[in-house]
Amino acid sequence: MTATTPVAAGPAKAAADAIANLLTTPPDSAQPHQAQSLADGAAGATLLHIERAIATGQWDTTHRWLRAVVNGGVLATIDSSLYQGAPAVAFILHAARRAYGTADRYGQAIQAVDRAVMALAHRRVDQALARIARHELPAMAEYDIISGLTGIGAHLLRNARDDDALPRILAYLVRLTRPLRHDDQVLPGWWTALGPHARISAAFPGGHANHGLAHGICGPLALLALAARRGIVVDGHSEAIERVCAWLDRWRQHDDNGTWWPQWITQDDRQTGRPGQTAPLRPSWCYGIPGIVRAQQLAAIATGDPVRQRLAEHALASCLADPGQVDRISDLSLCHGWAGLLLTVWRTAADAATTVVSDQLAAIADRLLPHATATGHVGDGLLEGRAGAALALHAAARGELPASEWDACLLIT
């Protein structure tokens, strides 16, 4: 996977094709909020057809799905995000135009939706900065990949027009990493009063600090690092990366199987200095060690820190070599299953300083294929459904990382 995938191409292609054949016809009457969901709607499934069209040259199915996504108009409310509404539509339209190879295709639609995304980004940054000025704690949906400004920033990093929306998002994330005084406490700026399920929870009195790539601080860390690698930096950029890395260093754990990080830190954890989580859990993209490691590896590369890079890569290699962790994966999904593990490890291996990560790839591939047909009980979506599984299988069959770079929506590239 640093070069090719150690998996049987024929069975992987057959599995990907079988899933894609179930998704040739878009839903007839999907409402915009469903059609424009990257997580579980037509927008996410469209990415599968874009990626396949690059290989086959057949674009009819892709065009049909794109029309279904925008048929009911484009949602651009204050809650729109990379995974819902205008930013999701913009993400797939830009991916399609790049893959199709002509600037004219979808140009008018892209200009219109880009304007909506830029306006949304500015509104959401203004809203977030006003919240900080009031010394209030954020919701994860303010800043995370799925619902927040980090996800919108991930799109703009690849597709920004002549606008300062992306620099404003980056400057906001720098501010997010600074301590915030709230109710006579000094807390990390991303500390939320909510539990991991985005609501007040008796199990999380005083809230928590989330580490996951999907919903926690590793999402902003990955975006700041990826922007820095592209030479896009704002005031305080490197210091923000260092603050997040120092926090993760504080909560880094070691056991006989290697190095790991807890999914989150509670008020009790913060006061005792010890995480309540006593062992690593499922090695997923969304919350697990692979996502947390990828963010730190990107940060290390962006800041020229070979010690951190080696530590992160060895932590991932140890995780993958531990059956007690890997056996916790029970499905093929991108979010928390084999597909997400495959792509996150693949992207990490492609940037790795040593072979310690890529040496584990064959074992992941061996576990991937037996699950390839076990998608009958899931939906058609990207994050937890058939479309995401088929995209991972398609890449595995070709032995190449995604040509359309659709996995930028996971912030692993």
Side-chain angles (χ1 to χ4, degrees):
M1 292 171 183
T2 43
T4 58
T5 315
V7 68
K13 182 179 185 301
D17 289 347
I19 296 172
N21 288 338
L22 297 173
L23 301 175
T24 56
T25 303
D28 289 330
S29 58
Q31 296 299 311
H33 73 276
Q34 177 61 29
Q36 291 160 29
S37 169
L38 204 63
D40 57 15
T46 302
L47 291 175
L48 169 62
H49 298 299
I50 292 171
E51 186 71 14
R52 285 169 56 81
I54 294 172
T56 66
Q58 303 299 313
W59 285 88
D60 288 348
T61 301
T62 302
H63 299 328
R64 190 161 60 247
W65 275 81
L66 283 167
R67 286 193 294 270
V69 170
V70 300
N71 187 50
V74 177
L75 294 174
T77 67
I78 192 64
D79 295 323
S80 296
S81 67
L82 175 59
Y83 278 78
Q84 182 71 63
V89 175
F91 184 81
I92 63 171
L93 284 173
H94 277 279
R97 183 167 70 172
R98 284 195 305 271
Y100 197 69
T102 172
D104 295 332
R105 188 82 192 196
Y106 313 119
Q108 187 173 355
I110 286 174
Q111 288 180 12
V113 78
D114 278 353
R115 287 193 294 270
V117 172
M118 296 299 179
L120 170 68
H122 286 293
R123 287 177 64 199
R124 292 199 60 170
V125 169
D126 289 343
Q127 190 179 65
L129 293 177
R131 187 271 307 163
I132 293 173
R134 295 191 300 269
H135 298 276
E136 296 174 359
L137 298 177
M140 291 180 292
E142 177 185 287
Y143 62 80
D144 72 8
I145 294 175
I146 304 298
S147 301
L149 281 161
T150 293
I152 296 173
H155 162 66
L156 294 178
L157 184 61
R158 274 177 161 69
N159 305 302
R161 299 170 66 84
D162 294 332
D163 186 278
D164 65 346
L166 177 59
R168 288 198 72 208
I169 289 174
L170 296 174
Y172 152 72
L173 293 178
V174 169
R175 181 63 186 85
L176 183 76
T177 68
R178 294 176 183 151
L180 180 69
R181 180 171 290 278
H182 175 78
D183 287 348
D184 296 325
Q185 298 183 86
V186 178
L187 298 167
W190 62 91
W191 190 281
T192 177
L194 309 177
H197 296 293
R199 56 179 178 266
I200 295 293
S201 170
F204 290 84
H208 78 295
N210 199 296
H211 290 166
L213 185 56
H215 294 294
I217 194 57
C218 282
L221 177 63
L223 179 60
L224 288 166
L226 286 166
R229 289 184 75 180
R230 288 171 174 252
I232 304 171
V233 296
V234 296
D235 289 345
H237 203 117
S238 60
E239 292 86 351
I241 291 175
E242 290 168 2
R243 274 193 294 274
V244 178
C245 287
W247 171 268
L248 292 171
D249 288 348
R250 175 183 174 187
W251 295 104
R252 185 172 63 229
Q253 306 295 304
H254 304 276
D255 61 23
D256 291 342
N257 293 313
T259 299
W260 59 277
W261 292 263
Q263 295 181 114
W264 51 65
I265 295 301
T266 67
Q267 277 283 25
D268 185 61
D269 299 340
R270 193 174 70 88
Q271 290 166 5
T272 63
R274 299 188 305 275
Q277 181 181 327
T278 59
L281 302 177
R282 180 170 54 188
S284 62
W285 162 76
C286 56
Y287 270 102
I289 291 173
I292 294 172
V293 159
R294 178 55 172 161
Q296 291 193 75
Q297 182 201 39
L298 289 169
I301 293 169
T303 58
D305 186 346
V307 174
R308 181 175 301 280
Q309 184 174 351
R310 285 195 300 272
L311 186 150
E313 291 166 7
H314 280 275
L316 180 56
S318 298
C319 163
L320 300 175
D322 179 10
Q325 294 182 60
V326 176
D327 288 348
R328 290 176 178 267
I329 303 176
S330 59
D331 65 72
L332 194 62
S333 74
L334 281 178
C335 186
H336 44 251
W338 290 105
L341 180 65
L342 175 74
L343 287 165
T344 306
V345 174
W346 192 341
R347 287 292 185 186
T348 305
D351 281 334
T354 70
T355 64
V356 293
V357 176
S358 58
D359 288 346
Q360 302 291 332
L361 290 171
I364 299 174
D366 287 344
R367 301 288 293 272
L368 172 71
L369 280 177
H371 289 79
T373 58
T375 59
H377 64 292
V378 301
D380 295 335
L382 179 73
L383 277 188
E384 298 187 36
R386 295 183 182 93
L391 278 162
L393 289 162
H394 177 78
R398 289 172 56 81
E400 298 175 355
L401 287 160
S404 67
E405 296 186 337
W406 66 264
D407 54 335
C409 70
L410 303 176
L411 258 184
I412 55 176
T413 185

